[in-house]
């Protein structure tokens, strides 16, 4: 195994694997790309912009990521991983109640700046994400909210998810109190998250109409 020295501790040498350094560099690139995507949008961010923010060459960045689209998928992976874990909890716990719905609101709100930026960027098409299976978890979320595979129930779950999506990730311009906040800091207050969760629950408790009428 290969090692590189690290002098950060007491002037001595601390062994670190080359792999761990590469992982740290990769994460720094993802973090920088995420912030730039939030600030400027996916279209408005170039690989050169990301490299310059990190003080590295484009060639060095391409050693870790083959394309800007690869960086897009790396940037949304934390949200997708969070949704996958949430779905595991839902599957173990049974039908979604108030507590689970509020947890879903918290999860989406934590990633709202990134998703808000991507959802308003015409270059980030559904196909660009769907080709790698990035949206499959959200289809499963609809089914989890529905609690059924019945077509009418699925519609109700889709509407409930839409309420959460619009409430959490909707255009920040609507909130004039935080108009001057950096995009990365735009999140709902606790009271607002409670309201969004309650609105979604209200949709979920609406009786399913008879499809034959």
């Amino acid at each position: 195994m290969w090692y590189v020295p690290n002098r950060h501790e007491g002037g001595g040498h601390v062994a670190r694997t080359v792999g761990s350094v590469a992982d740290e560099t990769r994460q720094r690139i993802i973090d920088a790309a995420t912030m730039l995507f939030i600030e400027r949008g996916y279209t408005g961010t170039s690989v050169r912009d990301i490299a310059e923010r990190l003080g590295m060459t484009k060639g060095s960045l391409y050693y870790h990521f083959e394309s800007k689209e690869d960086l897009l998928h790396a940037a949304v992976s934390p949200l997708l991983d969070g949704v996958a874990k949430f779905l595991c909890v839902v599957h173990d716990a049974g039908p979604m109640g108030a507590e689970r719905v509020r947890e879903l609101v918290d999860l989406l709100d934590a990633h709202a700046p990134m998703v808000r930026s991507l959802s308003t960027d015409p270059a980030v098409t559904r196909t660009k994400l769907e080709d790698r299976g990035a949206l499959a978890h959200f289809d499963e979320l609809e089914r989890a909210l529905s609690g059924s595979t019945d077509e009418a129930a699925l519609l109700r779950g889709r509407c409930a998810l839409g309420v959460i999506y619009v409430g959490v990730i909707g255009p920040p311009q609507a909130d004039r109190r935080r108009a001057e906040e950096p995009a990365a800091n735009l999140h709902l207050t606790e009271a607002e998250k409670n309201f969004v969760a309650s609105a979604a629950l209200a949709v979920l408790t609406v009786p399913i109409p008879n499809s034959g009428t």
Side-chain angles (χ1 to χ4, degrees):
M1 182 175 293
W2 293 92
Y3 293 92
V4 293
N6 183 341
R7 296 179 177 270
H8 292 300
E9 305 229 343
H13 294 277
V14 179
R16 298 175 66 192
T17 65
V18 171
S20 69
V21 174
D23 289 343
E24 289 174 10
T25 301
R26 181 181 171 86
Q27 188 58 54
R28 286 179 56 235
I29 294 171
I30 294 170
D31 292 344
T34 299
M35 290 306 300
L36 283 168
F37 291 158
I38 291 172
E39 293 169 10
R40 307 178 187 181
Y42 179 77
T43 303
T45 301
S46 67
V47 172
R48 181 182 297 278
D49 293 331
I50 299 167
E52 288 180 351
R53 175 158 295 195
L54 291 162
M56 65 169 53
T57 65
K58 285 176 63 177
S60 297
L61 191 151
Y62 279 126
Y63 175 80
H64 297 276
F65 293 94
E66 293 184 359
S67 66
K68 190 171 78 167
E69 189 168 324
D70 285 340
L71 273 167
L72 169 65
H73 285 271
V76 299
S77 285
L79 170 60
L80 299 178
D81 290 345
V83 172
K85 292 176 182 176
F86 175 80
L87 286 168
C88 287
V89 172
V90 171
H91 291 157
D92 291 341
M96 288 185 64
E99 183 179 354
R100 293 284 91 81
V101 171
R102 174 52 201 266
E103 288 174 3
L104 178 58
V105 172
D106 288 337
L107 171 61
L108 293 182
D109 183 67
H111 298 276
M114 178 63 175
V115 182
R116 183 185 299 121
S117 174
L118 297 180
S119 65
T120 57
D121 193 325
V124 186
T125 61
R126 181 178 177 89
T127 301
K128 190 182 290 291
L129 294 172
E130 196 170 40
D131 281 349
R132 303 193 192 184
L135 300 181
H137 290 324
F138 287 92
D139 293 335
E140 194 172 349
L141 259 184
E142 288 183 5
R143 292 192 291 271
L145 282 163
S146 303
S148 170
T149 56
D150 177 78
E151 188 173 333
L154 287 171
L155 174 61
R156 187 168 63 177
R158 187 158 59 251
C159 289
L161 186 58
V163 167
I164 297 174
Y165 182 86
V166 172
V168 171
I169 304 173
Q173 306 91 288
D175 191 346
R176 299 301 179 186
R177 292 172 299 137
R178 290 172 282 174
E180 303 303 317
E181 283 284 331
N185 294 342
L186 286 170
H187 295 278
L188 297 180
T189 65
E190 289 300 304
E192 289 166 341
K193 286 191 281 188
N194 285 334
F195 178 84
V196 171
S198 296
L201 282 167
V203 172
L204 291 174
T205 55
V206 172
I208 301 173
N210 188 326
S211 58
T213 61

